[in-house]
Amino acid sequence: MTARNSLKRLVRARMRKTGESYSSARRYFHTEDYEMTNATTKLQPGLWPDWVAEHPWLVAFLIKAEAEARNRGDTCCDHFHIELAFLSLGPPVSDWLATLGLDTPVMREDTVELLGMNAERGSGVNGDEAWFARGQRARAARRSTDPVTECPLVSVDEVYTGELLELASAEAKLHGDSIDERHFLIALAVLLFAGSPPTVGALRHLTGLSSTEDTSYDVRIDDNREWMRRLAASHGADPGMFPYDIHGPRP
């Protein structure tokens, strides 16, 4: 189900509920993509690990990820919302993505489609009502002066999103930095490249994390487990224990 079809379901659900015409109901959902119109300067309390506050860029970035979830009517922030937030960043991220040959608009559309399919699977027997409620929540979030308070998220996907955070943290620690967009490109690589990213060295060279020249951006590793093992080994972790244990104690 595409983002456009998701919108049509919301519109038709409203038509059934209110008796409006299609055009009238369509005006209720005034955007085909859930654009973030209300910025906030704070994370929702209690959703993220306490250590996140130590990384200013990460805090600002996760605020964008939360907004991606709220503005789509979702109640759980997951790795797809993080991907959308990353794809929306300007330079240098947009320059890196262009160098890597990624079509950002298409990737955003595909990610929104995945979110729509996930929402449909979770809507249960009362699908139309669930979609209508989701649309109402999205609309309220876009219009709210304080979406964190008025449209709170219920949860964060702990497994995949937690692993992304731990990967970015490990990459930043390796280079003696606070987490920023360079480290998140490494963390998101498997997701961005559908499981077949360029080499870790190429991504590090592209972002300036490594001075060792490696421009093999078109080299893909078919086995993403091998890519992960190499990444884990570069962090000094046991490749056989990858992904990182996000429930264990932090060093």
Side-chain angles (χ1 to χ4, degrees):
M1 180 172 55
T2 64
R4 186 178 297 275
N5 285 338
S6 299
L7 177 69
K8 287 180 179 178
R9 289 197 62 157
L10 295 174
V11 172
R12 286 168 182 159
R14 179 172 174 83
M15 290 170 64
R16 281 188 288 271
K17 188 176 182 69
T18 65
E20 293 175 285
S21 66
Y22 184 90
S23 59
S24 177
R26 174 64 181 82
R27 285 193 292 272
Y28 183 86
F29 304 102
H30 57 277
T31 178
E32 292 191 9
D33 193 7
Y34 301 114
E35 298 294 340
M36 291 182 288
T37 55
N38 284 323
T40 181
T41 59
K42 59 184 179 180
L43 284 174
Q44 181 174 318
L47 281 182
W48 307 96
D50 291 341
W51 61 264
V52 163
E54 303 168 11
H55 303 271
W57 180 90
L58 180 59
V59 170
F61 176 67
L62 293 179
I63 288 171
K64 298 180 189 300
E66 283 188 8
E68 290 283 1
R70 292 191 185 94
N71 280 275
R72 285 168 173 76
D74 298 326
T75 57
C76 176
C77 185
D78 67 19
H79 52 298
F80 291 122
H81 299 109
I82 286 181
E83 180 180 4
L84 285 175
F86 196 78
L87 290 171
S88 299
L89 297 177
V93 171
S94 56
D95 297 331
W96 297 337
L97 298 178
T99 299
L100 293 165
L102 296 177
D103 190 327
T104 301
V106 169
M107 291 186 70
R108 282 189 59 86
E109 182 177 344
D110 289 346
T111 304
V112 170
E113 181 176 352
L114 283 170
L115 284 167
M117 290 190 294
N118 290 345
E120 183 178 35
R121 281 195 291 267
S123 61
V125 293
N126 298 318
D128 291 337
E129 289 79 4
W131 275 99
F132 181 66
R134 186 170 179 249
Q136 287 184 310
R137 178 180 166 82
R139 185 170 182 262
R142 292 195 301 270
R143 293 188 170 187
S144 172
T145 57
D146 187 1
V148 174
T149 301
E150 296 180 31
C151 301
L153 300 175
V154 173
S155 63
V156 166
D157 165 49
E158 186 180 49
V159 177
Y160 295 110
T161 299
E163 286 171 4
L164 285 178
L165 294 178
E166 291 296 325
L167 279 172
S169 176
E171 189 67 21
K173 183 178 179 181
L174 177 67
H175 301 285
D177 299 322
S178 179
I179 298 173
D180 61 32
E181 58 265 66
R182 300 170 300 167
H183 314 112
F184 240 92
L185 180 64
I186 307 298
L188 275 170
V190 172
L191 184 61
L192 291 172
F193 291 90
S196 182
T199 64
V200 178
L203 294 176
R204 286 177 177 156
H205 177 64
L206 174 65
T207 59
L209 288 170
S210 172
S211 60
T212 302
E213 186 171 359
D214 186 343
T215 56
S216 55
Y217 304 127
D218 292 329
V219 175
R220 300 289 187 265
I221 300 174
D222 293 331
D223 183 356
N224 65 11
R225 291 171 297 179
E226 179 61 27
W227 192 89
M228 290 178 176
R229 284 193 289 267
R230 293 181 185 181
L231 180 60
S234 75
H235 291 161
D238 179 355
M241 296 299 292
F242 192 87
Y244 298 97
D245 181 5
I246 63 173
H247 304 291
R250 291 185 56 77

